[in-house]
Amino acid sequence: MAGTSAFLLFFVLPLQQACAAGDPVAGRAAFAKCASCHQVGPSARGGFGPQLYQVIGRRAGATTDYKYSPAMAKAGFVWTEDKLRAFMKAPGDVVPGNKMRFWGIGSDRQIDDILAYLRSVK
């Protein structure tokens, strides 16, 4: 029994945590559906949507190179991974009245991968 507990503690749990953290390579591929509107990277600029470089930890509606909807400009929160996860799943539920025309991503795995990609872009 102790051997099973040690196996779970040292091998299975870290593997589950790594999987939950997402795969940045898969996330880059999944981000393709976002890339028609959003850019990431040090030279990213707002276009049809705001740039998402270093979005985690940034106040919603805060970049100066994009004209946000009044709803997003007044959202009053900081983008955490949990908030981004919820927004990617159902944008209108997180910020009602935002102007993003996207129905959401249904796959939790794909959302984890996209978040891993966003974290990896330096």
Side-chain angles (χ1 to χ4, degrees):
M1 193 65 132
T4 302
S5 296
F7 177 77
L8 288 173
L9 184 62
F10 292 106
F11 296 104
V12 175
L13 290 177
L15 179 60
Q16 286 177 334
Q17 290 172 347
C19 290
D23 176 0
V25 174
R28 182 177 182 169
F31 188 80
K33 70 181 74 180
C34 312
S36 61
C37 299
H38 300 283
Q39 295 179 14
V40 293
S43 62
R45 300 286 178 259
F48 196 68
Q51 60 88 2
L52 300 178
Y53 180 58
Q54 298 181 336
V55 66
I56 299 167
R58 184 170 72 207
R59 189 175 55 78
T63 62
T64 58
D65 62 347
Y66 182 75
K67 183 163 175 43
Y68 292 93
S69 66
M72 187 63 78
K74 295 175 186 172
F77 61 81
V78 171
W79 287 113
T80 63
E81 288 194 30
D82 287 340
K83 190 66 88 170
L84 281 166
R85 182 174 283 107
F87 190 79
M88 283 189 266
K89 199 172 267 275
D93 291 349
V94 175
V95 183
N98 79 78
K99 63 183 180 181
M100 187 162 114
R101 300 294 170 243
F102 182 70
W103 299 110
I105 300 171
S107 166
D108 290 332
R109 179 67 191 177
Q110 219 172 45
I111 291 171
D112 287 342
D113 292 343
I114 291 170
L115 288 170
Y117 170 63
L118 291 174
R119 284 191 308 268
S120 74
V121 177
K122 302 290 183 213

